Amino acid sequence: MIQLYVVSVVTLCLAGTTLAVPLIDDKISLPKLLNRDVLGSPLFRMLLGLATFLGGFLQFLFVPLGDVAVIGNLFPALGGIIAGFTLCLLYYQDKATVISDGLERLMQVFIGNRDVIGMLALLIAVLHFLFPAVILL
């Protein structure tokens, strides 16, 4: 499905940029549309996180014609799920008043490595855009 492909590439690019803003913004200046205020907005993070997570999950369910089932879009699907989950955790961290031990460990793993997750999501999105029919991309 070409629609799912477009959603995957766009949401992975936006999610990767949102997660890696501290790392990216120091090296290049982001356009006006992608400034720190927009990307740091809790509502934007939650909506983008849900869209990215859903896009990654749907890639496991729908396989494009001529692609290998399950492993055809493995990295974009996992990247979408992980990046979306991380964005939703960032939203929860902003709004939560009580944090359990298990949730604190999840936050250490995902939010502590958000720059790495963001850069990997950007890399996966670019590779998925450039090579749409390659197995695992």
Side-chain angles (χ1 to χ4, degrees):
M1 291 182 62
I2 193 73
Q3 299 90 344
L4 189 56
Y5 170 76
V6 171
V7 166
S8 170
V9 169
V10 170
T11 57
L12 269 174
C13 275
L14 282 173
T17 304
T18 302
L19 289 170
V21 162
L23 188 64
I24 293 174
D25 201 24
D26 293 341
K27 297 187 180 10
I28 59 171
S29 62
L30 295 174
K32 295 282 185 197
L33 180 64
L34 298 175
N35 64 15
R36 281 182 172 261
D37 296 335
V38 172
L39 297 177
S41 165
L43 181 62
F44 179 78
R45 284 181 179 170
M46 183 197 61
L47 293 176
L48 179 61
L50 289 175
T52 307
F53 184 87
L54 186 62
F57 180 73
L58 288 176
Q59 284 191 347
F60 281 126
L61 299 179
F62 300 107
V63 178
L65 291 174
D67 210 353
V68 180
V70 178
I71 64 168
N73 289 329
L74 181 65
F75 287 142
L78 289 176
I81 288 171
I82 292 170
F85 182 73
T86 304
L87 285 170
C88 290
L89 263 177
L90 280 169
Y91 173 78
Y92 184 78
Q93 182 185 28
D94 289 342
K95 300 294 181 184
T97 57
V98 176
I99 297 176
S100 67
D101 291 334
L103 190 58
E104 188 174 328
R105 278 189 233 119
L106 281 176
M107 287 182 178
Q108 286 175 349
V109 170
F110 288 98
I111 295 175
N113 297 315
R114 66 187 264 185
D115 293 341
V116 174
I117 293 170
M119 292 306 293
L120 285 175
L122 277 171
L123 178 67
I124 290 169
V126 168
L127 290 176
H128 192 49
F129 176 75
L130 293 176
F131 309 108
V134 174
I135 292 180
L136 294 177
L137 288 177

